[in-house]
Amino acid sequence: MTQPFLNSLLFAVMTTVFATVGGMAVFWGAVSASKTRGWGESILVGGAVGCLLMPPFLHAGAWWKVGMGLALPVATIPFGAMVLSLQLWPVVFLVLLAASRRLEPSLLEAARIFLPPRRIWNRIVLPMLLPALCLASAVVFILALNHFIVPTTFQTPVQIADVYVMFSSLYDTRAALLQSLPIWLISMATLALAARLAACGEMGRTNRHASLHAGFAFRGLPIPGGRVLWRGLGGVILLASLLPGLGGLISWVIPKHDEALRTYMTPLLGAVRLALPQFGASLVYAAGSALFASIFGVAIWRAMRVVASRRGGTAIADGKVAWLVEWILATPFVLSGLFLGILLIGASQAAGAWAWWQGTWLMGLAALAVRFVWIPFKAASVAHAQIQSDLLDAAKVFRLSSAATFKAVEWPAMKPSLATAAWMVYVLALWDVETLVLIYPAGGEPVSLRLFQLLHYGYDAQVGVLSLGLVAMGLLPGLALGFIRYAGFHRPSPQGHKMIAKR
Amino acid sequence: MIELHHIHKNHGATVAVADVSLAVKRGESVALLGHSGSGKTTLLRLVAGLDLPDSGTVCVEGRIGMVFQSLALWPHAMVQEQIELVLHGPRWSGAAKTARVAEMLDVFGLDSWACRKPGTLSGGEQQRVALARAVASDPEILLLDEPLAHLDGGSRQELRERLLPILKGRAVLIATHDEEDARVLAQRCLRMREGRIV
């Protein structure tokens, strides 16, 4: 085993441990905030989503500055693992929260009646949440093992960085794939194990109506260590994850005094003006991949449902085939995007007829759509599972066709989840560096790649203003969607007027 | 064993329990009869200490066993573990625990399902497990929320007969909408409507 491979393993294990502990601590913080009727939990969820959606290069760059300022050993594996875990703990937190929201509150009430407090946590709560915890930790491990930006920023020689350097200098696909084989094998095995855990786990999902907030199920239970401790710890972890990135963004953009303002403004505006083509490229990649990934994801999910219903069983939609399809779709998402780029270049070189598309926009769009197709697919299947079975049964009783059932029952219920999934793909594609770094066409460099390069040369002001532009671009569809929904809700309907008139 | 004095409980703007006073002595079974939403379950939850009353006092003396309306069987635990888990403290160490688990499995006819998880059992079988778990630790107070709701006619009759000797010597509060269950299992029937005993 080579040193970079060992470094990769150590980096991934340390990140997993830190992120699991952090995610659990914030989870207890959310549970401890049960008396706040859910708003405490909402703040933590909002912060966690914010951490996940923060551009990794921005987060890593800000922590590099903080570490250097405090004279910490930044170019080490533990520091890099700590920084990445501050971005990945939300995976553990959100998975635990989702599992606990589905706990039937009376299961814990029964525990309160029959068991002493210590045994409630050891024998009831932990076994019910353990599959979710293992699943989340496995996902964090794979993401950390395949992470490119954070270890590269912190100058940790990991396997992925080695593969990148080797491939970009020699363009030897076979050698690059062979070198990355151990990472692939470990990731795929962990992913398979995680998927099995998720499928077999008993998470107490007897409750069809998920609670409004996780604290609802845990209300009245004594929390080991006290509620104040966990609420405080959760808040500290959240702030440590968000503040450096946001603070860095603001301090890089806003100059310290008037004189600096004059000298800064020209380079800042210049940076934006010069980067207009890059912003355009980012928009094409993000919007295009969101569109294609959503269409393909829903089409694959729909095809599986149709085949399952024609065969009169659920074997395809819910059984081993579904598990296999999900595993195949999730693989490009959790593996490093670098591998996808190497594979596509290798494939187009091997197949002469496809050589034309190397270095085109289409290749970049295809790579991003393949990488993120799992998100809309998963959103569709989860949203469908939450539709009341009575509604689908009624459609069966009244012999609605498959298309009519989709239009009348499934689509209205799944629409919000699919819109959210499309937005997630849009944001992730906007931040993406590793998928495009090897395959972007000449003149098609996105902002994220320019930022990644600028970070290395210390152009802080330019990094700040371009990041701010990218964050604004990321929020734009969400704000537009919110505005449209708000306007829709407040538009008086003709039917409403009629009803009032009748009264 | 159970004493309630002028209990009031609201759920938001809805009055769940209004000015209820009630006493249940050792060896007495009391049935609360009423339609859905009449406040029976809320009253049981107040006695169990799962909810606090808005006003009034609840005095409970003794250990509590309870059958939940939703049964609340822990999905990860096998039938015998459901019973084992509630047997803790010095009285239930080693052989005593094993013997008690075997006894409960036998009394409720659960021997053949001892190593199965609740998700693999029928509604009636799950009901028996919930009852076995409620009485396993030999509690002085038993709260039964629709204890026979998931059973058909024959099984219901059989389980009523099994339950009768088990209820003896305890303070029992049963919430049910089935008059026959109330008549057979309880010595005293109280009718609830809109949160009040009428």
Side-chain angles (χ1 to χ4, degrees), chain A residues 358-417:
Chain A
Q358 190 180 336
T360 62
W361 288 73
L362 195 62
M363 189 187 233
L365 279 172
L368 288 170
V370 167
R371 182 141 195 239
F372 299 126
V373 70
W374 176 71
I375 297 174
F377 172 83
K378 191 67 190 168
S381 48
V382 168
H384 189 269
Q386 286 174 349
I387 297 174
Q388 275 188 21
S389 58
D390 295 352
L391 297 177
L392 294 168
D393 290 344
K396 269 185 210 160
V397 168
F398 293 111
R399 297 191 176 182
L400 262 66
S401 68
S402 171
T405 306
F406 182 70
K407 193 180 165 193
V409 184
E410 294 171 332
W411 175 247
M414 292 162 63
K415 221 165 32 177
S417 302

Short mmCIF file of all heavy atoms in Angstrom, two decimals, chain A residues 358-417:
data_model
loop_
_atom_site.label_atom_id
_atom_site.label_comp_id
_atom_site.label_asym_id
_atom_site.label_seq_id
_atom_site.Cartn_x
_atom_site.Cartn_y
_atom_site.Cartn_z
N GLN A 358 -15.31 14.73 -27.29
CA GLN A 358 -14.34 15.09 -26.25
C GLN A 358 -14.03 16.58 -26.35
O GLN A 358 -13.77 17.10 -27.43
CB GLN A 358 -13.06 14.28 -26.42
CG GLN A 358 -12.15 14.44 -25.21
CD GLN A 358 -10.86 13.66 -25.34
OE1 GLN A 358 -10.80 12.67 -26.06
NE2 GLN A 358 -9.85 14.09 -24.62
N GLY A 359 -14.09 17.26 -25.24
CA GLY A 359 -13.84 18.70 -25.24
C GLY A 359 -15.03 19.53 -25.69
O GLY A 359 -14.88 20.70 -26.03
N THR A 360 -16.24 18.92 -25.70
CA THR A 360 -17.44 19.70 -26.03
C THR A 360 -18.23 19.97 -24.75
O THR A 360 -18.03 19.31 -23.73
CB THR A 360 -18.36 18.94 -27.01
OG1 THR A 360 -18.79 17.74 -26.36
CG2 THR A 360 -17.63 18.60 -28.29
N TRP A 361 -19.17 20.94 -24.86
CA TRP A 361 -20.05 21.25 -23.73
C TRP A 361 -20.91 20.04 -23.38
O TRP A 361 -21.23 19.82 -22.22
CB TRP A 361 -20.97 22.41 -24.09
CG TRP A 361 -20.28 23.73 -24.17
CD1 TRP A 361 -19.43 24.13 -25.16
CD2 TRP A 361 -20.34 24.80 -23.25
NE1 TRP A 361 -18.97 25.40 -24.91
CE2 TRP A 361 -19.53 25.84 -23.74
CE3 TRP A 361 -21.03 25.00 -22.04
CZ2 TRP A 361 -19.36 27.05 -23.07
CZ3 TRP A 361 -20.88 26.22 -21.38
CH2 TRP A 361 -20.05 27.21 -21.89
N LEU A 362 -21.26 19.29 -24.41
CA LEU A 362 -22.14 18.14 -24.22
C LEU A 362 -21.54 17.13 -23.24
O LEU A 362 -22.24 16.55 -22.40
CB LEU A 362 -22.40 17.48 -25.58
CG LEU A 362 -23.56 16.50 -25.62
CD1 LEU A 362 -24.87 17.18 -25.31
CD2 LEU A 362 -23.64 15.83 -26.99
N MET A 363 -20.21 16.93 -23.36
CA MET A 363 -19.55 15.97 -22.48
C MET A 363 -19.65 16.42 -21.01
O MET A 363 -19.94 15.62 -20.12
CB MET A 363 -18.09 15.81 -22.87
CG MET A 363 -17.38 14.68 -22.16
SD MET A 363 -15.64 14.68 -22.52
CE MET A 363 -15.40 13.02 -23.06
N GLY A 364 -19.44 17.73 -20.80
CA GLY A 364 -19.54 18.26 -19.44
C GLY A 364 -20.95 18.09 -18.89
O GLY A 364 -21.14 17.67 -17.74
N LEU A 365 -21.94 18.42 -19.73
CA LEU A 365 -23.34 18.30 -19.30
C LEU A 365 -23.69 16.84 -19.00
O LEU A 365 -24.35 16.53 -18.00
CB LEU A 365 -24.27 18.85 -20.38
CG LEU A 365 -24.43 20.36 -20.40
CD1 LEU A 365 -25.21 20.79 -21.63
CD2 LEU A 365 -25.15 20.84 -19.13
N ALA A 366 -23.23 15.94 -19.89
CA ALA A 366 -23.53 14.51 -19.69
C ALA A 366 -22.89 14.02 -18.40
O ALA A 366 -23.52 13.28 -17.62
CB ALA A 366 -23.02 13.71 -20.88
N ALA A 367 -21.65 14.43 -18.15
CA ALA A 367 -20.94 13.99 -16.94
C ALA A 367 -21.68 14.45 -15.68
O ALA A 367 -21.90 13.67 -14.74
CB ALA A 367 -19.52 14.52 -16.94
N LEU A 368 -22.11 15.72 -15.69
CA LEU A 368 -22.82 16.24 -14.51
C LEU A 368 -24.18 15.56 -14.34
O LEU A 368 -24.59 15.25 -13.21
CB LEU A 368 -23.01 17.76 -14.63
CG LEU A 368 -21.74 18.59 -14.45
CD1 LEU A 368 -22.00 20.05 -14.82
CD2 LEU A 368 -21.24 18.51 -13.01
N ALA A 369 -24.88 15.34 -15.46
CA ALA A 369 -26.20 14.68 -15.37
C ALA A 369 -26.06 13.26 -14.83
O ALA A 369 -26.83 12.83 -13.98
CB ALA A 369 -26.87 14.67 -16.74
N VAL A 370 -25.03 12.53 -15.31
CA VAL A 370 -24.80 11.16 -14.82
C VAL A 370 -24.44 11.21 -13.33
O VAL A 370 -24.91 10.39 -12.54
CB VAL A 370 -23.69 10.47 -15.63
CG1 VAL A 370 -23.22 9.19 -14.96
CG2 VAL A 370 -24.17 10.17 -17.03
N ARG A 371 -23.61 12.17 -12.96
CA ARG A 371 -23.15 12.24 -11.57
C ARG A 371 -24.32 12.49 -10.61
O ARG A 371 -24.37 11.93 -9.51
CB ARG A 371 -22.12 13.36 -11.44
CG ARG A 371 -21.57 13.46 -10.04
CD ARG A 371 -20.11 13.75 -9.97
NE ARG A 371 -19.64 13.47 -8.62
CZ ARG A 371 -19.08 14.37 -7.84
NH1 ARG A 371 -18.85 15.58 -8.29
NH2 ARG A 371 -18.71 14.03 -6.62
N PHE A 372 -25.27 13.35 -11.02
CA PHE A 372 -26.31 13.77 -10.07
C PHE A 372 -27.68 13.15 -10.33
O PHE A 372 -28.65 13.53 -9.68
CB PHE A 372 -26.42 15.30 -10.06
CG PHE A 372 -25.16 15.99 -9.63
CD1 PHE A 372 -24.56 16.96 -10.42
CD2 PHE A 372 -24.55 15.65 -8.43
CE1 PHE A 372 -23.38 17.59 -10.02
CE2 PHE A 372 -23.37 16.27 -8.03
CZ PHE A 372 -22.78 17.24 -8.82
N VAL A 373 -27.78 12.20 -11.26
CA VAL A 373 -29.09 11.64 -11.62
C VAL A 373 -29.74 10.91 -10.43
O VAL A 373 -30.95 10.80 -10.32
CB VAL A 373 -28.95 10.69 -12.84
CG1 VAL A 373 -28.22 9.41 -12.48
CG2 VAL A 373 -30.32 10.34 -13.41
N TRP A 374 -28.90 10.44 -9.50
CA TRP A 374 -29.43 9.70 -8.35
C TRP A 374 -30.34 10.58 -7.47
O TRP A 374 -31.29 10.10 -6.88
CB TRP A 374 -28.26 9.16 -7.51
CG TRP A 374 -28.68 8.48 -6.26
CD1 TRP A 374 -29.30 7.27 -6.16
CD2 TRP A 374 -28.52 8.95 -4.92
NE1 TRP A 374 -29.53 6.96 -4.85
CE2 TRP A 374 -29.06 7.97 -4.06
CE3 TRP A 374 -27.97 10.09 -4.35
CZ2 TRP A 374 -29.07 8.11 -2.67
CZ3 TRP A 374 -27.98 10.22 -2.97
CH2 TRP A 374 -28.52 9.24 -2.16
N ILE A 375 -30.03 11.89 -7.41
CA ILE A 375 -30.79 12.78 -6.51
C ILE A 375 -32.27 12.85 -6.91
O ILE A 375 -33.14 12.57 -6.08
CB ILE A 375 -30.14 14.18 -6.43
CG1 ILE A 375 -28.74 14.05 -5.83
CG2 ILE A 375 -30.97 15.14 -5.60
CD1 ILE A 375 -27.94 15.33 -5.84
N PRO A 376 -32.60 13.20 -8.18
CA PRO A 376 -34.03 13.19 -8.53
C PRO A 376 -34.65 11.81 -8.50
O PRO A 376 -35.84 11.68 -8.15
CB PRO A 376 -34.07 13.75 -9.95
CG PRO A 376 -32.70 14.07 -10.35
CD PRO A 376 -31.77 13.77 -9.25
N PHE A 377 -33.86 10.78 -8.83
CA PHE A 377 -34.39 9.41 -8.77
C PHE A 377 -34.82 9.08 -7.33
O PHE A 377 -35.91 8.59 -7.07
CB PHE A 377 -33.32 8.42 -9.25
CG PHE A 377 -33.69 6.98 -9.04
CD1 PHE A 377 -34.50 6.31 -9.94
CD2 PHE A 377 -33.23 6.28 -7.93
CE1 PHE A 377 -34.86 4.99 -9.75
CE2 PHE A 377 -33.58 4.96 -7.71
CZ PHE A 377 -34.40 4.32 -8.63
N LYS A 378 -33.93 9.40 -6.39
CA LYS A 378 -34.21 9.11 -4.97
C LYS A 378 -35.38 9.96 -4.49
O LYS A 378 -36.25 9.48 -3.75
CB LYS A 378 -32.96 9.41 -4.14
CG LYS A 378 -33.00 8.92 -2.71
CD LYS A 378 -33.01 7.43 -2.64
CE LYS A 378 -33.30 6.93 -1.24
NZ LYS A 378 -33.59 5.50 -1.23
N ALA A 379 -35.39 11.24 -4.92
CA ALA A 379 -36.49 12.13 -4.51
C ALA A 379 -37.82 11.57 -4.99
O ALA A 379 -38.82 11.58 -4.25
CB ALA A 379 -36.27 13.53 -5.06
N ALA A 380 -37.84 11.06 -6.23
CA ALA A 380 -39.08 10.51 -6.78
C ALA A 380 -39.52 9.29 -5.98
O ALA A 380 -40.70 9.16 -5.61
CB ALA A 380 -38.89 10.13 -8.25
N SER A 381 -38.58 8.38 -5.68
CA SER A 381 -39.00 7.16 -4.97
C SER A 381 -39.41 7.45 -3.53
O SER A 381 -40.38 6.87 -3.03
CB SER A 381 -37.93 6.06 -5.04
OG SER A 381 -36.69 6.57 -4.73
N VAL A 382 -38.70 8.38 -2.86
CA VAL A 382 -39.08 8.72 -1.47
C VAL A 382 -40.44 9.42 -1.45
O VAL A 382 -41.31 9.10 -0.62
CB VAL A 382 -37.99 9.60 -0.80
CG1 VAL A 382 -38.48 10.19 0.50
CG2 VAL A 382 -36.74 8.78 -0.56
N ALA A 383 -40.63 10.37 -2.37
CA ALA A 383 -41.91 11.10 -2.41
C ALA A 383 -43.05 10.14 -2.70
O ALA A 383 -44.13 10.25 -2.12
CB ALA A 383 -41.85 12.20 -3.47
N HIS A 384 -42.81 9.18 -3.58
CA HIS A 384 -43.86 8.22 -3.92
C HIS A 384 -44.21 7.34 -2.72
O HIS A 384 -45.37 7.03 -2.47
CB HIS A 384 -43.43 7.35 -5.10
CG HIS A 384 -44.55 6.51 -5.63
ND1 HIS A 384 -44.78 5.24 -5.19
CD2 HIS A 384 -45.52 6.78 -6.54
CE1 HIS A 384 -45.85 4.76 -5.81
NE2 HIS A 384 -46.30 5.67 -6.64
N ALA A 385 -43.18 6.96 -1.96
CA ALA A 385 -43.42 6.10 -0.79
C ALA A 385 -44.27 6.81 0.27
O ALA A 385 -44.89 6.16 1.10
CB ALA A 385 -42.09 5.66 -0.19
N GLN A 386 -44.26 8.15 0.22
CA GLN A 386 -45.00 8.89 1.24
C GLN A 386 -46.45 9.20 0.83
O GLN A 386 -47.18 9.79 1.60
CB GLN A 386 -44.25 10.18 1.59
CG GLN A 386 -43.02 9.88 2.43
CD GLN A 386 -42.17 11.09 2.68
OE1 GLN A 386 -42.36 12.12 2.07
NE2 GLN A 386 -41.20 10.96 3.57
N ILE A 387 -46.80 8.81 -0.39
CA ILE A 387 -48.19 9.02 -0.81
C ILE A 387 -49.07 8.04 -0.04
O ILE A 387 -48.71 6.86 0.09
CB ILE A 387 -48.36 8.78 -2.33
CG1 ILE A 387 -47.52 9.79 -3.12
CG2 ILE A 387 -49.82 8.91 -2.75
CD1 ILE A 387 -47.51 9.54 -4.61
N GLN A 388 -50.19 8.51 0.47
CA GLN A 388 -51.08 7.62 1.23
C GLN A 388 -51.51 6.45 0.35
O GLN A 388 -51.96 6.64 -0.78
CB GLN A 388 -52.33 8.39 1.64
CG GLN A 388 -52.14 9.15 2.92
CD GLN A 388 -53.45 9.75 3.40
OE1 GLN A 388 -54.52 9.30 3.01
NE2 GLN A 388 -53.36 10.76 4.21
N SER A 389 -51.35 5.24 0.87
CA SER A 389 -51.65 4.06 0.05
C SER A 389 -53.13 4.03 -0.35
O SER A 389 -53.48 3.49 -1.40
CB SER A 389 -51.27 2.79 0.80
OG SER A 389 -51.97 2.74 2.00
N ASP A 390 -53.99 4.65 0.48
CA ASP A 390 -55.43 4.69 0.14
C ASP A 390 -55.66 5.39 -1.20
O ASP A 390 -56.52 4.98 -1.98
CB ASP A 390 -56.21 5.47 1.21
CG ASP A 390 -56.16 4.74 2.54
OD1 ASP A 390 -55.66 3.60 2.56
OD2 ASP A 390 -56.61 5.32 3.54
N LEU A 391 -54.88 6.45 -1.45
CA LEU A 391 -55.06 7.20 -2.70
C LEU A 391 -54.71 6.33 -3.91
O LEU A 391 -55.42 6.33 -4.92
CB LEU A 391 -54.18 8.45 -2.69
CG LEU A 391 -54.47 9.49 -1.61
CD1 LEU A 391 -53.48 10.62 -1.68
CD2 LEU A 391 -55.88 10.03 -1.80
N LEU A 392 -53.61 5.59 -3.77
CA LEU A 392 -53.21 4.72 -4.88
C LEU A 392 -54.18 3.54 -5.02
O LEU A 392 -54.49 3.11 -6.14
CB LEU A 392 -51.78 4.21 -4.64
CG LEU A 392 -50.71 5.31 -4.68
CD1 LEU A 392 -49.38 4.80 -4.15
CD2 LEU A 392 -50.52 5.84 -6.09
N ASP A 393 -54.67 3.05 -3.87
CA ASP A 393 -55.65 1.95 -3.92
C ASP A 393 -56.93 2.41 -4.62
O ASP A 393 -57.53 1.67 -5.40
CB ASP A 393 -55.98 1.46 -2.51
CG ASP A 393 -54.81 0.74 -1.88
OD1 ASP A 393 -53.88 0.36 -2.65
OD2 ASP A 393 -54.79 0.56 -0.66
N ALA A 394 -57.34 3.66 -4.30
CA ALA A 394 -58.55 4.19 -4.93
C ALA A 394 -58.37 4.27 -6.45
O ALA A 394 -59.29 3.93 -7.20
CB ALA A 394 -58.85 5.58 -4.38
N ALA A 395 -57.16 4.69 -6.87
CA ALA A 395 -56.89 4.74 -8.32
C ALA A 395 -57.00 3.35 -8.93
O ALA A 395 -57.49 3.19 -10.06
CB ALA A 395 -55.50 5.32 -8.56
N LYS A 396 -56.55 2.34 -8.20
CA LYS A 396 -56.64 0.96 -8.69
C LYS A 396 -58.11 0.52 -8.77
O LYS A 396 -58.54 -0.08 -9.75
CB LYS A 396 -55.88 0.02 -7.74
CG LYS A 396 -54.44 -0.18 -8.12
CD LYS A 396 -53.82 -1.21 -7.20
CE LYS A 396 -52.34 -0.93 -7.02
NZ LYS A 396 -51.78 -1.56 -5.85
N VAL A 397 -58.87 0.82 -7.71
CA VAL A 397 -60.27 0.42 -7.66
C VAL A 397 -61.05 1.02 -8.83
O VAL A 397 -61.84 0.35 -9.47
CB VAL A 397 -60.91 0.85 -6.31
CG1 VAL A 397 -62.42 0.71 -6.34
CG2 VAL A 397 -60.32 0.03 -5.18
N PHE A 398 -60.75 2.30 -9.10
CA PHE A 398 -61.46 2.96 -10.20
C PHE A 398 -60.79 2.73 -11.55
O PHE A 398 -61.14 3.36 -12.54
CB PHE A 398 -61.58 4.47 -9.90
CG PHE A 398 -62.47 4.76 -8.74
CD1 PHE A 398 -61.97 5.25 -7.55
CD2 PHE A 398 -63.83 4.47 -8.82
CE1 PHE A 398 -62.79 5.49 -6.46
CE2 PHE A 398 -64.66 4.72 -7.73
CZ PHE A 398 -64.15 5.21 -6.55
N ARG A 399 -59.83 1.83 -11.57
CA ARG A 399 -59.14 1.38 -12.80
C ARG A 399 -58.57 2.55 -13.61
O ARG A 399 -58.73 2.61 -14.83
CB ARG A 399 -60.10 0.56 -13.66
CG ARG A 399 -60.53 -0.68 -12.96
CD ARG A 399 -61.24 -1.61 -13.86
NE ARG A 399 -61.55 -2.84 -13.15
CZ ARG A 399 -62.14 -3.87 -13.69
NH1 ARG A 399 -62.47 -3.86 -14.96
NH2 ARG A 399 -62.40 -4.94 -12.99
N LEU A 400 -57.90 3.46 -12.92
CA LEU A 400 -57.21 4.55 -13.62
C LEU A 400 -56.02 3.96 -14.36
O LEU A 400 -55.37 3.04 -13.84
CB LEU A 400 -56.71 5.59 -12.62
CG LEU A 400 -57.59 6.83 -12.41
CD1 LEU A 400 -58.91 6.44 -11.77
CD2 LEU A 400 -56.87 7.83 -11.52
N SER A 401 -55.72 4.48 -15.54
CA SER A 401 -54.55 4.00 -16.27
C SER A 401 -53.30 4.46 -15.54
O SER A 401 -53.36 5.36 -14.67
CB SER A 401 -54.56 4.55 -17.69
OG SER A 401 -54.34 5.95 -17.63
N SER A 402 -52.16 3.86 -15.92
CA SER A 402 -50.90 4.22 -15.27
C SER A 402 -50.62 5.72 -15.45
O SER A 402 -50.22 6.40 -14.50
CB SER A 402 -49.79 3.37 -15.89
OG SER A 402 -48.57 3.81 -15.45
N ALA A 403 -50.85 6.21 -16.67
CA ALA A 403 -50.59 7.63 -16.95
C ALA A 403 -51.55 8.53 -16.16
O ALA A 403 -51.14 9.56 -15.61
CB ALA A 403 -50.74 7.90 -18.44
N ALA A 404 -52.81 8.11 -16.06
CA ALA A 404 -53.80 8.92 -15.33
C ALA A 404 -53.48 8.93 -13.84
O ALA A 404 -53.62 9.97 -13.17
CB ALA A 404 -55.20 8.36 -15.56
N THR A 405 -53.04 7.79 -13.33
CA THR A 405 -52.66 7.73 -11.91
C THR A 405 -51.49 8.67 -11.65
O THR A 405 -51.46 9.39 -10.64
CB THR A 405 -52.25 6.28 -11.52
OG1 THR A 405 -53.31 5.41 -11.87
CG2 THR A 405 -51.97 6.16 -10.04
N PHE A 406 -50.53 8.66 -12.57
CA PHE A 406 -49.36 9.53 -12.41
C PHE A 406 -49.79 10.99 -12.40
O PHE A 406 -49.37 11.77 -11.54
CB PHE A 406 -48.36 9.27 -13.55
CG PHE A 406 -47.11 10.08 -13.44
CD1 PHE A 406 -46.18 9.83 -12.44
CD2 PHE A 406 -46.86 11.13 -14.33
CE1 PHE A 406 -45.02 10.58 -12.33
CE2 PHE A 406 -45.71 11.89 -14.21
CZ PHE A 406 -44.79 11.61 -13.22
N LYS A 407 -50.67 11.34 -13.33
CA LYS A 407 -51.09 12.74 -13.47
C LYS A 407 -51.95 13.19 -12.28
O LYS A 407 -51.77 14.28 -11.75
CB LYS A 407 -51.88 12.90 -14.78
CG LYS A 407 -52.08 14.34 -15.18
CD LYS A 407 -52.86 14.43 -16.47
CE LYS A 407 -53.37 15.85 -16.68
NZ LYS A 407 -54.35 15.92 -17.73
N ALA A 408 -52.87 12.32 -11.86
CA ALA A 408 -53.85 12.75 -10.85
C ALA A 408 -53.36 12.55 -9.42
O ALA A 408 -53.69 13.33 -8.54
CB ALA A 408 -55.15 11.97 -11.06
N VAL A 409 -52.59 11.49 -9.19
CA VAL A 409 -52.24 11.17 -7.80
C VAL A 409 -50.75 11.39 -7.52
O VAL A 409 -50.38 12.05 -6.54
CB VAL A 409 -52.60 9.68 -7.48
CG1 VAL A 409 -52.33 9.36 -6.02
CG2 VAL A 409 -54.06 9.40 -7.82
N GLU A 410 -49.91 10.81 -8.40
CA GLU A 410 -48.48 10.78 -8.06
C GLU A 410 -47.80 12.14 -8.28
O GLU A 410 -47.09 12.62 -7.40
CB GLU A 410 -47.79 9.69 -8.89
CG GLU A 410 -48.29 8.30 -8.51
CD GLU A 410 -47.81 7.21 -9.45
OE1 GLU A 410 -47.57 7.50 -10.64
OE2 GLU A 410 -47.70 6.07 -9.02
N TRP A 411 -48.02 12.73 -9.46
CA TRP A 411 -47.31 13.97 -9.80
C TRP A 411 -47.60 15.11 -8.81
O TRP A 411 -46.66 15.75 -8.33
CB TRP A 411 -47.62 14.36 -11.24
CG TRP A 411 -47.03 15.67 -11.65
CD1 TRP A 411 -47.69 16.81 -11.95
CD2 TRP A 411 -45.64 15.99 -11.77
NE1 TRP A 411 -46.82 17.82 -12.25
CE2 TRP A 411 -45.54 17.34 -12.15
CE3 TRP A 411 -44.45 15.27 -11.58
CZ2 TRP A 411 -44.33 17.98 -12.35
CZ3 TRP A 411 -43.24 15.92 -11.79
CH2 TRP A 411 -43.18 17.25 -12.18
N PRO A 412 -48.88 15.38 -8.46
CA PRO A 412 -49.12 16.48 -7.51
C PRO A 412 -48.40 16.27 -6.18
O PRO A 412 -47.93 17.23 -5.57
CB PRO A 412 -50.64 16.45 -7.31
CG PRO A 412 -51.17 15.75 -8.50
CD PRO A 412 -50.14 14.77 -8.92
N ALA A 413 -48.31 15.01 -5.74
CA ALA A 413 -47.66 14.75 -4.45
C ALA A 413 -46.13 14.82 -4.56
O ALA A 413 -45.46 15.15 -3.58
CB ALA A 413 -48.07 13.37 -3.93
N MET A 414 -45.61 14.50 -5.73
CA MET A 414 -44.15 14.43 -5.88
C MET A 414 -43.52 15.74 -6.34
O MET A 414 -42.31 15.91 -6.25
CB MET A 414 -43.81 13.32 -6.88
CG MET A 414 -44.14 11.94 -6.37
SD MET A 414 -44.22 10.73 -7.69
CE MET A 414 -42.57 10.76 -8.30
N LYS A 415 -44.36 16.65 -6.85
CA LYS A 415 -43.85 17.88 -7.46
C LYS A 415 -42.89 18.67 -6.55
O LYS A 415 -41.79 19.02 -6.99
CB LYS A 415 -45.05 18.76 -7.84
CG LYS A 415 -44.92 19.44 -9.15
CD LYS A 415 -46.23 20.01 -9.67
CE LYS A 415 -47.20 20.49 -8.63
NZ LYS A 415 -48.41 21.09 -9.20
N PRO A 416 -43.26 18.93 -5.29
CA PRO A 416 -42.35 19.73 -4.46
C PRO A 416 -40.99 19.04 -4.24
O PRO A 416 -39.96 19.70 -4.29
CB PRO A 416 -43.11 19.85 -3.13
CG PRO A 416 -44.51 19.52 -3.43
CD PRO A 416 -44.50 18.59 -4.58
N SER A 417 -41.02 17.72 -4.04
CA SER A 417 -39.75 17.00 -3.81
C SER A 417 -38.88 17.05 -5.06
O SER A 417 -37.65 17.22 -4.97
CB SER A 417 -40.01 15.54 -3.46
OG SER A 417 -40.82 15.46 -2.34
#
